[in-house]
Amino acid sequence: MADLAAALRAAVPGLTVLDDADVMDSYRRDQAPGLPAGLPAAVAMPEDTAQVAAAVATAAEYGAPIVVRGAGSGLAGAANAVDGCLVLSTQRMNRILSVDPAERLATVQPGVINADLRRAVAEKGLFYPPDPGSYEMCTVGGNAATNAGGMCCVKYGVTGDYVRGLEAVLADGSVLRTGGRTVKGVAGYDLTSLLVGSEGTLAVITELSLALRPAPAPPRTIVAQFGSAAAAGAAVTAVLASGAEPSILEIIDATTLRAIEEWQPLGVEAGTAAMVIAQSDSSHEEDLRLIEAACAGASEVIVADDAAESEMLMQARRLAYPALERLGATLLDDVAVPLPKLVELIEGVEAIAKDRDMTVGLFGHAGDGNMHPTVVYPHGDADAERRAFQVFDEIVALALRLGGTVTGEHGVGLLKRSWLERELGEPARRTQRAIKAALDPHDLLNPGKAIA
Amino acid sequence: MADLAAALRAAVPGLTVLDDADVMDSYRRDQAPGLPAGLPAAVAMPEDTAQVAAAVATAAEYGAPIVVRGAGSGLAGAANAVDGCLVLSTQRMNRILSVDPAERLATVQPGVINADLRRAVAEKGLFYPPDPGSYEMCTVGGNAATNAGGMCCVKYGVTGDYVRGLEAVLADGSVLRTGGRTVKGVAGYDLTSLLVGSEGTLAVITELSLALRPAPAPPRTIVAQFGSAAAAGAAVTAVLASGAEPSILEIIDATTLRAIEEWQPLGVEAGTAAMVIAQSDSSHEEDLRLIEAACAGASEVIVADDAAESEMLMQARRLAYPALERLGATLLDDVAVPLPKLVELIEGVEAIAKDRDMTVGLFGHAGDGNMHPTVVYPHGDADAERRAFQVFDEIVALALRLGGTVTGEHGVGLLKRSWLERELGEPARRTQRAIKAALDPHDLLNPGKAIA
């Protein structure tokens, strides 16, 4: 396969192609730990659609698998290389092609960093809501390929809700356009939604038309501490039923709060079993009061007076995962359950942790029922790692028992493949494979990911 | 094919099967005029998923095409029979299986009437937004199969935005489940969105999980009259930029207003070129004032004081299409353009009508850029009908030139098939055909519809 790089250089004028072993090593995996990653034959960094199309066509001629890669911030191994593959990095396709305030539409290349787009549209009084945790580094192409979520989803939905149209290169190198520029449209099958979340297994996204919203009011934060998970869960339910539209509605459990408090004391009260963090970016002051009233069962409620204090109160949520990482190696899970099952999920995770004598911190997007239970174990302890994966699996099984999903927003990648059939059933597995075979008959695009 | 009915009766216990010629005749077509409709071999009325699965398997054995039919209220011929087909009517699958206020989720059979679902969830303080014009008769299964829109879309989105999961029977009779009960979920390809809008060509929807919202405040209506389409278009833009979230934002042109006024005088001012009708169902009183302020360029603005007056002001919009139908035969179009092109579309349609000396009334969902230009011509005048179709085509071509779509919400059916490739391009056409072939290799499910 050494000559794939040479072939790409010859066939695609101007394409940056790397095949230095050291360089390629840094393009082998995303941020998911403990998953297999192959050795690429080459890494290419196209700058435009024509280069992507030519690179895909060349790799296809060589029978080389093609693994598209944004920032590599994924958490399920979807961007992990497979042996002999072409890694197609979108990092040089980072141009914002247009931002149209009248149409509330941005047209961008896939390698644009999420935060860069947010800033660019904010300058025009607009708002691009999707906000994955990694928004300062992740790309909008990767966000679309994984249908990434974030904290804003409770009010604004997920990435896919903002993808109005796509340009993508198919496995044979032809260029597909899906969707369009209109708000509504039902011309033919919804190929846009099919590509969104398909993790690079059906086509290579080369351009995105993204819907924008008017800029919201500056957010105000509320933090409430509860003596039990049940009381916190009741508050989450009450907030959602209050008529307020929180722009953030998160929860942090006792284990995670302790990890934060030991590192950067925020003054969490003793006996706090769970913290609910909510934001409102509504221009209607009463939304904040409705959220506060819904937290009546809290031992303490703090409402930010201004933007600075709002930011400070958000700290606890931002520190959640890094605080757990300080304690050891981590396995970050991503399950979602129907909202009425949220408390059962939290209590069930606590029971599993106790049962297996493992540390599991839990935090996440309470308003969506999407939680990130995080198993913590000592670095380099193989037995503990084995038990950690066991606990991880028990949590996924619990979510399924509660009518939930094995992945709310991180995606399937390699990490959750073995769970797919159990969640979706055989006909869905077969249907997904049939679609994959129809669009990518030689299984060249990110083989072995996303579907079972 | 006469024995398809007998075979169904033998193979599917309890299934109602009709093959009386008179009965079948009334199941041959939907409400789109002038499109071909074949002669079915049988009409079946299953009551549950098992009967659908068995009927599909039996038809497949016979090589008989299967055309699913809800209320037959479609406007693009998607439910028109093809020769020798089995028409699968969902009218007896009309049970609301559950409405869960905590989960904000309804589980229903596909034959449930849209308005019945709206009323059932309203009793629990909930709201099912999708509101196609035919909501008193159309079915939620048909709504999902066509991804139907309505007036509420400007605030609440289309049917597909509320379909959280589906059960559907595949072409081989197996039962597929897609999506789930969680708010977020990214396990595998988004088969839910693929089936939504596929007009019965990929699977037969047998059950839907539909997201609900809390009931909004009682709507208040504003009606504004403008001296030019440009002034009305500017008001629409201003409303959307005002920070208000109108739950309805419609427009009616001068031709349509004249037709209404001649029939049921509403007191439209002389010289009115366009009327904008907006509603707010926000609990925030200021939304109404923002909308009113955005209509500053109007010659007259009326704001309803209460629900009864709101209803009265909505009359103009409800009378739009029936008023045009009084004038003759109608060809109802359904194009959508990017919002900044709305005025160009309205003026372009007026120019086409003048040029061709034809009556074209225009009304529709201004806030989404989705318009229903309606060509009116004398009943039974073959030459006029030919010219009407010509005008219809010129309007579709205009929408495409403006960066729009050939169908915003009515679907492709038979009516817009010839336009698909022009809008989507060859790779999209090929991709859609490949998906169809993958899921329905013998082309049994609603053949000849939805895709090109």
Side-chain angles (χ1 to χ4, degrees):
Chain A
M1 268 317 181
D3 49 355
L4 176 64
L8 286 163
R9 286 188 191 103
V12 193
L15 178 67
T16 301
V17 180
L18 310 170
D19 58 352
D20 180 89
D22 288 352
V23 173
M24 289 201 297
D25 199 54
S26 62
Y27 286 85
R28 286 183 67 186
R29 48 176 76 249
D30 63 20
Q31 295 191 350
L35 295 172
L39 199 63
V43 174
M45 297 184 181
E47 290 172 28
D48 58 30
T49 304
Q51 288 189 345
V52 173
V56 167
T58 304
E61 267 175 50
Y62 271 74
I66 296 151
V67 179
V68 193
R69 181 185 182 87
S73 57
L75 294 164
N80 280 16
V82 297
D83 282 334
C85 78
L86 167 64
V87 170
L88 213 49
S89 162
T90 62
Q91 68 190 83
R92 294 194 182 179
M93 296 181 76
N94 61 355
R95 276 177 299 144
I96 295 172
L97 302 171
S98 68
V99 177
D100 185 330
E103 217 170 328
R104 288 191 195 160
L105 196 73
T107 308
V108 304
Q109 289 189 306
V112 168
I113 305 296
N114 180 300
D116 289 344
L117 177 61
R118 296 167 75 83
R119 282 186 282 262
V121 306
E123 278 173 23
K124 301 197 177 189
L126 295 167
F127 176 41
Y128 176 67
D131 62 344
S134 55
Y135 69 95
E136 284 288 359
M137 68 168 294
C138 65
T139 66
V140 293
N143 297 166
T146 57
N147 197 9
M151 288 208 244
C152 77
C153 307
V154 65
K155 179 169 181 178
Y156 294 108
V158 294
T159 299
D161 295 319
Y162 294 85
V163 182
R164 204 168 277 171
L166 292 171
E167 181 194 73
V169 170
L170 292 165
D172 65 359
S174 61
V175 179
L176 171 74
R177 280 202 165 266
T178 75
R181 284 164 53 196
T182 55
V183 179
K184 288 155 78 180
V186 287
Y189 300 152
D190 184 356
L191 299 180
T192 307
S193 294
L194 183 62
L195 295 192
V196 167
S198 67
E199 302 183 355
T201 62
L202 297 178
V204 181
I205 295 170
T206 50
E207 194 180 295
L208 305 93
S209 295
L210 299 171
L212 307 171
R213 294 180 59 104
R220 295 271 301 276
T221 308
I222 294 187
V223 167
Q225 298 177 41
F226 295 88
S228 70
V236 167
T237 304
V239 168
L240 292 172
S242 70
E245 293 197 282
S247 48
I248 284 180
L249 187 52
E250 301 283 312
I251 198 167
I252 307 176
D253 81 339
T255 302
T256 310
L257 286 172
R258 266 197 307 279
I260 295 169
E261 204 61 19
E262 282 164 15
W263 180 29
Q264 300 198 21
L266 297 172
V268 176
E269 295 204 331
T272 297
M275 179 183 275
V276 170
I277 303 178
Q279 267 193 0
S280 166
D281 62 5
S282 165
S283 55
H284 306 298
E285 180 75 17
E286 70 234 60
D287 268 29
L288 210 63
R289 283 193 296 273
L290 288 169
I291 296 171
E292 189 179 359
C295 294
S299 57
E300 189 177 359
V301 180
I302 306 170
V303 182
D305 280 326
D306 54 36
E309 200 178 343
S310 272
E311 262 310 291
M312 215 184 61
L313 292 179
M314 281 302 295
Q315 269 297 85
R317 177 61 181 84
R318 299 242 167 72
L319 293 174
Y321 185 56
L324 293 169
E325 279 186 306
R326 282 183 69 246
L327 304 183
T330 55
L331 271 184
L332 179 66
D333 212 332
D334 166 51
V335 293
V337 293
L339 279 171
K341 301 293 185 184
L342 182 62
V343 173
E344 272 181 75
L345 176 69
I346 296 172
E347 292 176 348
V349 169
E350 281 170 4
I352 292 169
K354 197 173 166 195
D355 222 42
R356 300 294 176 187
D357 194 20
M358 295 285 282
T359 300
V360 183
L362 179 144
F363 57 92
H365 316 305
D368 298 316
N370 181 199
M371 291 289 115
H372 298 307
T374 302
V375 193
V376 185
Y377 59 97
H379 284 287
D381 180 338
D383 179 61
E385 182 169 83
R386 189 187 50 73
R387 287 185 296 130
F389 270 101
Q390 191 180 333
V391 165
F392 181 93
D393 281 354
E394 286 179 28
I395 292 169
V396 179
L398 169 64
L400 282 183
R401 274 203 309 282
L402 295 174
T405 176
V406 303
T407 174
E409 61 179 10
H410 291 173
V412 173
L414 294 165
L415 186 63
K416 295 282 173 73
R417 273 188 81 200
S418 62
W419 288 95
L420 268 192
E421 184 164 344
R422 192 156 149 198
E423 175 170 342
L424 304 175
E426 214 289 310
R429 192 200 63 77
R430 199 162 17 99
T431 302
Q432 298 189 330
R433 280 245 70 92
I435 291 169
K436 169 71 168 167
L439 269 68
D440 179 20
H442 305 296
D443 202 18
L444 291 174
L445 296 172
N446 212 7
K449 315 283 178 63
I451 61 170
Chain B
M1 267 318 185
D3 49 355
L4 176 62
L8 286 164
R9 287 187 191 105
V12 192
L15 178 67
T16 301
V17 181
L18 309 171
D19 58 353
D20 180 271
D22 287 352
V23 174
M24 289 200 299
D25 198 55
S26 63
Y27 285 86
R28 286 183 68 185
R29 49 176 72 250
D30 63 20
Q31 295 192 351
L35 295 171
L39 199 63
V43 174
M45 298 185 180
E47 290 172 29
D48 58 30
T49 304
Q51 288 188 344
V52 173
V56 167
T58 305
E61 267 175 51
Y62 271 73
I66 296 151
V67 179
V68 193
R69 179 185 183 87
S73 57
L75 293 164
N80 281 16
V82 297
D83 281 334
C85 77
L86 167 62
V87 170
L88 214 48
S89 162
T90 62
Q91 68 191 84
R92 294 194 182 180
M93 296 181 77
N94 60 355
R95 276 178 298 145
I96 296 172
L97 303 170
S98 68
V99 177
D100 185 331
E103 216 170 329
R104 287 190 197 160
L105 196 74
T107 307
V108 304
Q109 288 190 308
V112 169
I113 304 296
N114 180 300
D116 289 344
L117 177 62
R118 296 167 75 83
R119 283 186 281 262
V121 306
E123 278 173 23
K124 301 197 178 189
L126 295 167
F127 177 40
Y128 175 67
D131 63 344
S134 55
Y135 69 95
E136 285 288 358
M137 67 167 294
C138 64
T139 66
V140 293
N143 296 167
T146 56
N147 198 9
M151 288 207 245
C152 77
C153 308
V154 63
K155 179 169 181 178
Y156 294 109
V158 294
T159 300
D161 294 321
Y162 294 84
V163 182
R164 204 167 276 172
L166 292 172
E167 180 195 74
V169 171
L170 293 166
D172 65 0
S174 60
V175 180
L176 170 74
R177 280 202 166 266
T178 74
R181 284 165 51 197
T182 55
V183 180
K184 288 155 77 179
V186 288
Y189 300 153
D190 184 356
L191 299 180
T192 307
S193 294
L194 184 62
L195 294 193
V196 167
S198 66
E199 301 183 355
T201 63
L202 298 178
V204 181
I205 295 171
T206 51
E207 192 181 295
L208 304 93
S209 295
L210 299 171
L212 307 171
R213 295 179 60 103
R220 294 270 303 273
T221 308
I222 295 187
V223 167
Q225 298 176 41
F226 295 87
S228 69
V236 167
T237 304
V239 168
L240 292 171
S242 69
E245 293 197 282
S247 48
I248 285 180
L249 188 51
E250 301 284 310
I251 197 166
I252 306 176
D253 81 339
T255 303
T256 311
L257 286 173
R258 265 196 308 277
I260 296 169
E261 203 62 20
E262 283 164 16
W263 179 29
Q264 301 197 20
L266 297 171
V268 176
E269 296 203 330
T272 296
M275 179 184 275
V276 170
I277 303 178
Q279 267 193 358
S280 167
D281 62 5
S282 165
S283 55
H284 307 298
E285 181 74 18
E286 69 234 62
D287 268 29
L288 210 63
R289 283 193 295 274
L290 288 169
I291 296 171
E292 189 178 359
C295 294
S299 56
E300 188 177 1
V301 180
I302 306 170
V303 183
D305 281 325
D306 52 38
E309 201 178 342
S310 271
E311 261 310 290
M312 214 184 64
L313 292 179
M314 280 301 294
Q315 271 297 84
R317 176 61 181 86
R318 298 240 167 75
L319 294 174
Y321 185 56
L324 292 170
E325 279 186 306
R326 281 184 69 246
L327 304 184
T330 54
L331 271 183
L332 179 66
D333 213 332
D334 166 51
V335 293
V337 294
L339 278 171
K341 302 293 185 185
L342 181 63
V343 173
E344 271 181 75
L345 176 68
I346 296 172
E347 292 176 348
V349 169
E350 281 169 4
I352 292 169
K354 197 173 167 194
D355 222 41
R356 300 292 176 190
D357 194 21
M358 295 286 282
T359 301
V360 183
L362 180 145
F363 58 92
H365 316 305
D368 299 315
N370 180 197
M371 291 290 114
H372 298 307
T374 303
V375 192
V376 184
Y377 59 97
H379 284 289
D381 180 337
D383 178 62
E385 182 170 82
R386 189 188 49 73
R387 287 185 296 128
F389 271 100
Q390 191 181 332
V391 165
F392 182 93
D393 280 355
E394 286 179 29
I395 292 169
V396 179
L398 170 65
L400 283 182
R401 275 203 309 281
L402 295 173
T405 176
V406 303
T407 174
E409 59 179 11
H410 290 173
V412 172
L414 293 165
L415 186 63
K416 295 285 173 73
R417 273 188 82 201
S418 62
W419 288 95
L420 269 191
E421 183 164 345
R422 193 156 149 197
E423 175 171 341
L424 304 174
E426 215 288 310
R429 193 200 61 79
R430 198 162 19 99
T431 302
Q432 298 190 332
R433 279 244 72 91
I435 291 169
K436 169 71 169 167
L439 269 68
D440 179 20
H442 305 296
D443 202 17
L444 291 174
L445 297 172
N446 212 6
K449 316 284 178 61
I451 61 170

